[in-house]
Amino acid sequence: MRGHVAKKGKRYYVVLDVGVDERGKRKQKWLSGFDTKSEAERGLTEALSAVDRGTYIEPSRQTLERYLLDEWLPACAARIRATTVESYRHLIELHVVPAIGRVPLAQPTPLSLTKFYGALLTNGRVRGSGGLSPRTVRYVHSIIRKALSDAVAWRLLPTNPCDGAIPPSAAAAKSPEMKVWNADQVRAFLDFTREDRDYITWHLAVSCGLRRGEVCGLRWSDLELDATPPTLSVKQQLVESLYRVTFAPPKTARGKRLVVLDPVTVAALRAHRRRQAAERLALGAAYDDHDLVVARLDGTPVHPNNVGQHFRRQIVKAGLPLIRFHDLRHTHATLALQAGIHPKIVSERLGHASTSFTLDVYSHATPSMQQQAADVMSAVLSG
């Protein structure tokens, strides 16, 4: 088989000669388009080599949009969490489909994808002006790379163009810098908000290291306040997707997570339960009981985003350094490690897969542990 590169408009196409028809007229097959002639020439070489090896794959005429939404996402549902599928769908519909969704599945190239990422960085915001963060763009790249990798496995594509694309670097896309409060700031915030109806929400986050969704999904039946010691079991979380909330298993796959409660937290939970009982009594039959510790006035689940927004407003009123709600979890771990609590215990309370992961994440807290170790050794050696 022979072929050549032809230019049509601003793009270069691979054209294969596939014989002649019944009238003796030469038949040609136009394959994917490329942004540059050199890319098209490489594509031609790869196509001819694949034909010779017997591994040539007929380019799909399906668009990238239809492949992602109609085939790939439904296939993902069997292997990843529903919330993850929805996050994929959200970014695909918001950023991928409007820009490159209508192109054939086989058309994206490493160069065109790299240009797409650049456009997202400079002008990718749907609301307002400006670009998306490198972290978000790298996440979009990972979604496309996974989707096209599956297309290769399903013999819809010969190669994955994402392998040669250049997304934002891992360093540029690293997580926001962790911010934590010290013990005095934690006490100041809890004292300032003690009469707030949502007080128990951030108290649980900072005293137990719970994630926001775990706090919002906690049920009274998950608590053993009269046990010795009193405990809290993390059995579900409240998750949000496209502003809809549902209950889901905890994020970590370690099974039930048991957290021993301190007396101050037990007292706060008992006080909160008395307040909630009064609300239930006042509403009567209108109260929609979900057995939730953190709930709206009518008993229904709170929206996690509202929790974060109210937390931020209270920080401003209290005049304390701004942190995210998730930083309460970081604060719990940092204060626990700095107080000398064994890293394995801290890891278990947080629900981490390993102690080493805990120490890697909270390495900023380990210098004080090193100092404690040095002090202990000094005391041992000096008698």
Side-chain angles (χ1 to χ4, degrees), residues 90-113:
H90 176 67
L91 288 175
I92 288 170
E93 292 179 342
L94 199 63
H95 301 298
V96 180
V97 168
I100 58 175
R102 294 186 178 181
V103 304
L105 175 61
Q107 184 167 311
T109 64
L111 178 58
S112 67
L113 288 174

Side-chain angles (χ1 to χ4, degrees), residues 142-338:
S142 70
I143 294 171
I144 299 175
R145 179 174 54 80
K146 290 176 183 177
L148 298 188
S149 177
D150 285 339
V152 173
W154 297 335
R155 295 188 60 79
L156 298 175
L157 288 177
T159 59
N160 188 343
C162 288
D163 293 341
I166 305 175
S169 67
K174 66 180 180 179
S175 300
E177 181 182 356
M178 184 188 304
K179 296 180 181 179
V180 298
W181 281 339
N182 59 36
D184 290 337
Q185 290 168 329
V186 170
R187 287 191 290 268
F189 181 76
L190 293 180
D191 287 343
F192 181 81
T193 60
R194 196 167 300 277
E195 299 305 317
D196 192 291
R197 188 176 177 279
D198 289 336
Y199 168 82
I200 196 63
T201 308
W202 32 79
H203 186 116
L204 286 170
V206 76
S207 67
C208 302
L210 301 186
R211 300 177 178 89
R212 183 180 62 177
E214 293 169 347
V215 175
C216 295
L218 185 66
R219 296 165 295 195
W220 290 108
S221 59
D222 299 329
L223 300 172
E224 295 288 345
L225 299 183
D226 296 321
T228 304
T231 59
L232 174 158
S233 297
V234 180
K235 297 181 179 179
Q236 69 173 13
Q237 63 174 331
L238 189 70
V239 296
E240 179 268 337
S241 178
L242 303 182
Y243 211 77
R244 298 189 303 270
V245 294
T246 56
F247 293 104
K251 181 177 180 181
T252 50
R254 298 187 61 187
K256 185 175 71 173
R257 181 162 114 242
L258 201 67
V259 179
V260 173
L261 300 173
D262 63 90
V264 176
T265 300
V266 171
L269 282 164
R270 293 189 188 280
H272 179 72
R273 186 163 58 182
R274 290 193 295 270
R275 173 186 286 185
Q276 196 178 73
E279 294 170 351
R280 184 187 300 110
L281 184 63
L283 279 179
Y287 191 84
D288 188 3
D289 192 2
H290 290 260
D291 192 36
L292 293 171
V293 175
V294 175
R296 300 170 65 188
L297 282 170
D298 63 355
T300 56
V302 299
H303 196 286
N305 287 351
N306 294 340
V307 170
Q309 291 168 5
H310 184 47
F311 176 63
R312 182 183 178 89
R313 288 193 294 267
Q314 292 300 89
I315 294 175
V316 173
K317 290 180 182 178
L320 291 166
L322 278 176
I323 63 172
R324 304 167 303 161
F325 187 92
H326 193 73
D327 290 325
L328 291 177
R329 174 175 164 88
H330 295 321
T331 297
H332 170 85
T334 300
L335 294 179
L337 289 171
Q338 289 176 344

